[in-house]
Amino acid sequence: MIPYCSSTGTRSTRAALEAAGWRVLVVPTGKDKNYGLDYAIDNGAWSAYQRGLPFDEKAFMRTLKWSAKQDIKPDWIVVPDIVAGGIKSLKYSLGWIDRVRPYGPLLLAVQDGMKPEHIERYIGSELGIFLGGTTKWKLKTMMEWGELCHNRCYFHVGRVNTVKRIAFCAAAGADSFDGTSVARFPCNLGRLNRARKQLALPLFG
């Protein structure tokens, strides 16, 4: 699995990430950049949700235009969504696809209330899945989304910060995951990096 970490301005952390083969997840806050590392782009909906703010469409578009000028292009971009928004989020995301597609490969964020039958007609080589939603729902449905994506489309899991969740992602067949742990606590890099290289083990509890 490819690991992504929140972008960081700390040089020593960036050097350690690069040496370990980690990439960064750029969020449209106006501050996060890739600093020369391979990267993907989140849309910022989760950050806005946490702060009780509306989605910042202008900031998202600025980030896309910034990426278009870089020598390194994004691995993928998360299409704007509504956190825990179910079918409303799906309809909102579908309305953004044509607008975002020129900037790079796309991932559709699946949210609480969505089921595989709601999105299977849309996904494929040009549109993968970003597993978002609330933590409880994410963990409950991860295997189901992994089965849908198998040999069909790219599968990424958001907000993964523990060894147990990395193992769960591997068991679900995720292609990649992201988390903030290493950016906030660089000492966690070695432990989490070893976990993502190991085979998934059965999980309990």
Side-chain angles (χ1 to χ4, degrees), residues 98-194:
D98 288 343
R99 190 174 178 185
V100 182
R101 193 183 300 280
Y103 295 95
L106 306 182
L107 297 186
L108 175 71
V110 292
Q111 299 287 348
D112 300 47
M114 289 189 195
K115 297 181 179 180
E117 55 263 34
H118 294 145
I119 69 167
E120 58 186 352
R121 78 186 77 171
Y122 304 113
I123 60 174
S125 60
E126 296 183 357
L127 182 65
I129 285 180
F130 180 104
L131 180 53
T134 60
T135 299
K136 182 178 180 180
W137 180 81
K138 181 202 304 284
L139 296 177
K140 181 180 178 180
T141 62
M142 190 184 301
M143 298 300 293
E144 185 177 18
W145 293 113
E147 290 176 5
L148 176 66
C149 295
H150 183 63
N151 291 331
R152 185 171 188 167
C153 71
Y154 193 94
F155 181 36
H156 177 90
V157 181
R159 302 197 318 276
V160 175
N161 291 298
T162 65
V163 168
K164 184 175 181 178
R165 288 194 188 174
I166 290 174
F168 201 3
C169 289
D175 296 292
S176 59
F177 66 88
D178 74 81
T180 60
S181 177
V182 173
R184 297 172 61 192
F185 308 104
C187 60
N188 288 335
L189 176 60
R191 179 170 55 86
L192 296 182
N193 195 48
R194 286 191 296 273

Side-chain angles (χ1 to χ4, degrees), residues 83-99:
V83 177
I87 300 302
K88 183 178 179 181
S89 178
L90 174 59
K91 293 179 179 178
Y92 181 69
S93 295
L94 292 176
W96 271 90
I97 287 178
D98 288 343
R99 190 174 178 185

Side-chain angles (χ1 to χ4, degrees), residues 12 20 30 34 59 64 69-70 81 86 112 145 182 191:
S12 58
N34 67 315
L64 295 186
K69 299 177 182 178
Q70 307 307 305
D81 62 298
D112 300 47
W145 293 113
V182 173
R191 179 170 55 86

